[in-house]
Amino acid sequence: MKKLSLEELVHITGAECFHILNGQEVSLGAEEMQEVYVNEFVIDSRKMTEHGLFVPFKGEKVDAHKFLPQVLGMGKVTLTEENQQGIADISGQPLKDGYYLLVESTLDAMQKIGAYLRSAYGAPVIGVTGSVGKTTTREMITAALSAGKAVFHTEGNNNSQIGVPLTLARILDEKSDVAVLEMGISEPGGMDKLTAMVHPTMAVVTTIGVSHIEFMKTREGIRDEKLKIIDRMEANGLVLLNADDDLLKPLAGKLKVKTYLYGTDKASDFRAENIRIVDGKQYFSFVTADEKLEVSLSQLGQHNVLNACAALGFAKLLGVDLKKAADALSEFCGLRQKVNTLKNGAILIDDAYNASPTSMKASIEVLRSIKKENGRSIAVLGDMFELGDNEKAFHAEVGQFLNEHPVDELLVVGNLSKEIAKAVTKPEISKLEFTSTGDAATYLKENMKENDTVLVKASNGMHFAEIVKELEN
């Protein structure tokens, strides 16, 4: 993070700053306000540094203000929502020597600092949002643009109200030509807070699914919230929309910024044609108004073809050579879905990170597409969370999808995923229900054969990574 003095922090956040020395509050001089500085956010009290700015949050179970004595034993500066007496009461200790920036909300203050750092960044900023595929699309855009530009991008899952300011803290650390920032929301009003920090000049909306529908009620509500990503754009801003999504395609030409469509639909400005899988790799033709080239991907599934179209679309718009961008995508290995060969020769599709009905269907298609000729396709599916009042119906929807796109064996783990099995009526699909990941893993280890292909997918809270670990060992 760019160095920020106490004086700058007070100006940015509107904080009241007080200094404790030898257990007493002392006055702050102008020189001290300018010389004391921070150069990173710290949200884990165990990782405080000399020039860190600690940001304590009040959680449901723990109020991090209790750690301030420990934190200020390692560093100098903290944000706080509590006054001196409040800190002493919560921590149960006298105040430690240090600089306290008293604000109404530590999260709001952190976000104001993130927005301040973003305002000093002069290059284009691409915001990436959508119900499914944000992270993969972000990484594909980064890979494609890196073929011709220096790219700053979100790392890991720092796409939230806390994650975005953590990302923006690094945006000025090294010179870059473009930034690619993932923006994830879970409730109404979330996107407005993110755009107030990010101020994207370009954006992409990947899909409108049903993740977080319990908070936003309908797919249309989810779409409207995600489209707020363009609200702070200037008239010369632009957005890429997935033409294969029924709620996004109709918006072409109706938004306040320039709209480009991408996908397999013939109306797409950046289009994929002739999609096929050969020897475990996916190929397609990428078509624009004036160019056509062949693209290969190690990531399988039509959803990844769409992600690649968005990436190549940005490469085209930002003047990166498309052939070089496509070559970069051919080397892209992905972060979430991993395809591995196990010790017994079976293929494992590890997609245990997260799940929604849309992504679960896409992963089933991948399973079917790479199934070995003489082996079985085995789908191990678990509960999907944050689907609201219709969660059972959304699980049943996956089962109905399996009737039309059958696999050889279905294993479900969890109460909600029983609705998937219940909706499967094809007699040729063998069905088994398990109450724990351990039982499912044991069954697989005892029954999986050399030519089998196994998909493991559920919401992260189901801990399906434990099944993956068991199978890999």
Side-chain angles (χ1 to χ4, degrees):
M1 181 196 285
K2 171 191 172 185
K3 289 182 180 180
L4 294 173
S5 68
L6 284 179
E7 183 178 60
E8 290 174 296
L9 290 171
V10 167
H11 173 72
I12 295 165
T13 64
E16 175 189 346
C17 184
F18 59 92
H19 181 201
I20 299 298
L21 184 63
N22 297 324
Q24 300 294 321
E25 183 174 0
V26 298
S27 60
L28 278 161
E31 185 176 344
E32 190 175 13
M33 291 287 288
Q34 294 168 2
E35 289 184 351
V36 177
Y37 69 90
V38 301
N39 59 15
E40 65 176 314
F41 287 126
V42 178
I43 59 174
D44 185 337
S45 61
R46 298 164 297 181
K47 298 180 180 178
M48 185 60 173
T49 60
E50 181 182 1
H51 293 291
L53 173 62
F54 184 59
V55 186
F57 299 112
K58 294 182 177 181
E60 292 181 8
K61 296 181 179 179
V62 178
D63 183 347
H65 287 81
K66 71 182 290 185
F67 302 120
L68 291 189
Q70 167 193 333
V71 165
L72 291 175
M74 296 182 280
K76 299 177 182 177
V77 187
T78 184
L79 290 170
T80 175
E81 294 177 11
E82 297 289 342
N83 60 23
Q84 297 184 42
Q85 187 59 52
I87 295 169
D89 290 344
I90 292 169
S91 66
Q93 299 181 41
L95 266 64
K96 196 81 173 180
D97 289 358
Y99 300 89
Y100 297 77
L101 295 166
L102 179 60
V103 294
E104 288 188 10
S105 163
T106 55
L107 178 58
D108 286 351
M110 185 186 190
Q111 292 181 343
K112 287 176 181 177
I113 295 168
Y116 173 82
L117 295 168
R118 158 64 181 100
S119 69
Y121 184 77
V125 174
I126 299 171
V128 181
T129 196
S131 297
V132 180
K134 292 185 296 295
T135 299
T136 301
T137 302
R138 175 199 87 201
E139 290 300 302
M140 282 192 174
I141 295 170
T142 298
L145 295 182
S146 294
K149 294 181 179 292
V151 185
F152 173 82
H153 63 100
T154 301
E155 294 180 351
N157 61 351
N158 283 328
N159 66 358
S160 64
Q161 300 296 325
I162 294 174
V164 167
L166 287 174
T167 296
L168 292 173
R170 302 182 295 106
I171 198 167
L172 301 177
D173 289 357
E174 295 182 11
K175 188 179 185 309
S176 59
D177 302 313
V178 60
V180 183
L181 304 182
E182 184 177 340
M183 301 166 69
I185 57 171
S186 59
E187 58 189 11
M191 186 58 74
D192 185 61
K193 292 180 180 179
L194 294 184
T195 56
M197 290 184 278
V198 172
H199 275 276
T201 56
M202 305 176 179
V204 56
V205 184
T206 61
T207 55
I208 304 300
V210 294
S211 298
H212 311 303
I213 201 166
E214 82 176 280
F215 305 112
M216 286 176 272
K217 307 306 180 187
T218 65
R219 285 183 67 222
E220 288 78 8
I222 294 170
R223 177 197 62 191
D224 294 346
E225 181 66 27
K226 291 188 182 295
L227 281 170
K228 290 179 182 177
I229 196 170
I230 69 173
D231 280 1
R232 297 176 194 270
M233 284 187 184
E234 303 296 333
N236 61 351
L238 62 88
V239 61
L240 272 64
L241 301 178
N242 180 357
D244 290 26
D245 187 286
D246 62 317
L247 292 186
L248 292 175
K249 180 186 174 184
L251 299 178
K254 297 179 181 179
L255 303 178
K256 73 169 193 173
V257 297
K258 175 71 174 175
T259 305
Y260 294 88
L261 294 176
Y262 70 93
T264 62
D265 190 279
K266 290 183 179 180
S268 300
D269 301 284
F270 307 116
R271 189 169 71 255
E273 296 179 347
N274 191 24
I275 303 168
R276 67 265 185 210
I277 295 176
V278 181
D279 296 330
K281 292 198 76 172
Q282 189 159 229
Y283 296 83
F284 69 98
S285 302
F286 179 69
V287 182
T288 72
D290 59 355
E291 287 189 77
K292 182 176 182 178
L293 75 158
E294 293 302 302
V295 182
S296 68
L297 298 174
S298 60
Q299 296 293 288
L300 301 177
Q302 182 162 311
H303 58 296
N304 280 317
V305 171
L306 301 183
N307 297 339
C309 283
L312 292 169
F314 280 115
K316 175 79 171 176
L317 293 168
L318 290 170
V320 175
D321 182 272
L322 279 186
K323 178 65 169 62
K324 292 180 179 178
D327 288 345
L329 285 180
S330 72
E331 301 295 324
F332 176 75
C333 295
L335 296 176
R336 296 283 168 83
Q337 186 187 85
K338 299 178 176 65
V339 180
N340 301 317
T341 301
L342 299 176
K343 293 175 183 177
N344 73 341
I347 294 174
L348 173 65
I349 305 170
D350 171 9
D351 206 353
Y353 179 79
N354 220 334
S356 68
T358 302
S359 66
M360 196 168 272
K361 293 174 192 175
S363 294
I364 290 167
E365 286 283 41
V366 171
L367 169 63
R368 285 164 44 85
S369 71
I370 64 174
K371 169 190 172 183
K372 294 181 180 180
E373 187 174 346
N374 298 318
R376 297 175 299 167
S377 54
I378 303 173
V380 187
L381 307 179
D383 295 357
M384 299 174 284
F385 300 145
E386 296 185 354
L387 296 179
D389 294 340
N390 294 318
E391 58 186 5
K392 289 185 177 180
F394 287 127
H395 283 80
E397 185 181 302
V398 174
Q400 292 156 8
F401 180 83
L402 282 165
N403 289 327
E404 300 171 5
H405 306 81
V407 297
D408 295 304
E409 192 163 320
L410 169 65
L411 280 59
V412 297
V413 183
N415 290 325
L416 287 171
S417 60
K418 290 178 182 178
E419 300 297 324
I420 299 176
K422 191 186 300 183
V424 171
T425 56
K426 286 274 186 179
E428 61 265 35
I429 302 177
S430 173
K431 300 187 291 183
L432 291 168
E433 297 180 7
F434 297 90
T435 57
S436 73
T437 56
D439 290 343
T442 298
Y443 171 83
L444 288 166
K445 286 191 291 184
E446 292 175 352
N447 293 277
M448 200 167 47
K449 297 180 174 62
E450 178 182 358
N451 288 324
D452 290 344
T453 304
V454 181
L455 164 68
V456 178
K457 187 164 183 68
S459 281
N460 200 35
M462 289 297 293
H463 307 293
F464 267 33
E466 295 172 5
I467 298 177
V468 173
K469 185 177 180 180
E470 286 288 319
L471 297 183
E472 290 180 337
N473 289 338

